[in-house]
Amino acid sequence: MEKTKKSIKTRERIVESTKQCFIEKGYKDTTVEIVAEMINVDRRTIYRYFPSKEALLLKIAIDLFEEFSGFITSITFPEDMSGINRIKTLLEEQYMYAKEHSEVILLMGMIDSNVEMNEDRMNDFSLLSQSGKRMDENLSKMIEIGIQDGSIVTEDSPLDLAITINNSLLSLATRTVIYNKDNINWKFMILQAKLLLSALEGKHD
């Protein structure tokens, strides 16, 4: 039992120290040797828990993205709130979360830039995809509500629209954070959200 507790604690220290290194140094300048030195272990100890730096990045990003999607999908709304206003509120909450937890966006961007999908990583990418799907389905339901109450006008599939909106916002967010990590300008994400919403709003004759 004591050995198990020690193993869990060691694994947690590896993950936390690696996350700190990724955020401060970036992916390329983070090495297993640096992490091992930070927590005073041999690098072989790290390899017993994680086979590679890529595996560590995926583990950290999966946990952060799951927390992000869990927060987003737990937001509740008054029963009488229109679909379009639910989406406006949702996007505002997403924006505030990303601003306060920019590490989740940063690490997702690192995966896009540095990790190739292969058979060994299919399970990890599947876990990331599940979190994304929960967010897509959540947004799709709000679009459906908006179509029913007339606040949204569209002939497109609600799920297709949800996937497009979420992917567009995440892609811009990761690009912004990756290239401007020390001076993040969020105005482009606000502008993009406004453009996406204006395309949905039921203001047509």
Side-chain angles (χ1 to χ4, degrees), residues 156-172:
D156 296 310
S157 156
L159 183 57
D160 288 348
L161 286 169
I163 292 170
T164 301
I165 291 170
N166 282 333
N167 284 344
S168 297
L169 291 172
L170 182 59
S171 295
L172 180 59

Side-chain angles (χ1 to χ4, degrees), residues 130-167:
Q130 286 173 23
S131 293
K133 285 178 180 177
R134 282 197 295 272
M135 292 176 67
D136 293 338
E137 290 167 357
N138 184 57
L139 179 55
S140 177
K141 290 176 183 175
M142 294 181 202
I143 295 173
E144 289 176 3
I145 291 170
I147 293 171
Q148 291 169 7
D149 65 29
S151 62
I152 292 174
V153 174
T154 182
E155 295 181 358
D156 296 310
S157 156
L159 183 57
D160 288 348
L161 286 169
I163 292 170
T164 301
I165 291 170
N166 282 333
N167 284 344

Side-chain angles (χ1 to χ4, degrees), residues 67-191:
E67 289 176 13
F68 179 36
S69 65
F71 169 78
I72 294 303
T73 55
S74 69
I75 297 170
T76 57
F77 306 93
E79 285 292 326
D80 60 349
M81 181 179 279
S82 68
I84 195 68
N85 284 333
R86 291 181 190 222
I87 296 172
K88 286 179 180 178
T89 302
L90 180 78
L91 295 185
E92 287 171 2
E93 292 288 345
Q94 284 187 197
Y95 163 73
M96 292 304 299
Y97 190 100
K99 192 173 180 180
E100 294 172 8
H101 305 84
S102 59
E103 65 272 13
V104 65
I105 308 297
L106 179 65
L107 290 165
M108 291 298 291
M110 286 182 188
I111 289 176
D112 288 343
S113 304
N114 299 285
V115 182
E116 294 182 4
M117 186 183 296
N118 59 37
E119 289 186 10
D120 294 336
R121 298 174 185 144
M122 288 301 293
N123 185 57
D124 288 331
F125 277 98
S126 175
L127 290 172
L128 282 173
S129 178
Q130 286 173 23
S131 293
K133 285 178 180 177
R134 282 197 295 272
M135 292 176 67
D136 293 338
E137 290 167 357
N138 184 57
L139 179 55
S140 177
K141 290 176 183 175
M142 294 181 202
I143 295 173
E144 289 176 3
I145 291 170
I147 293 171
Q148 291 169 7
D149 65 29
S151 62
I152 292 174
V153 174
T154 182
E155 295 181 358
D156 296 310
S157 156
L159 183 57
D160 288 348
L161 286 169
I163 292 170
T164 301
I165 291 170
N166 282 333
N167 284 344
S168 297
L169 291 172
L170 182 59
S171 295
L172 180 59
T174 53
R175 194 178 312 123
T176 299
V177 172
I178 283 288
Y179 294 121
N180 303 280
K181 182 169 75 74
D182 298 321
N183 187 27
I184 301 171
N185 189 334
W186 299 94
K187 69 179 182 181
F188 299 110
M189 275 163 278
I190 297 171
L191 177 59

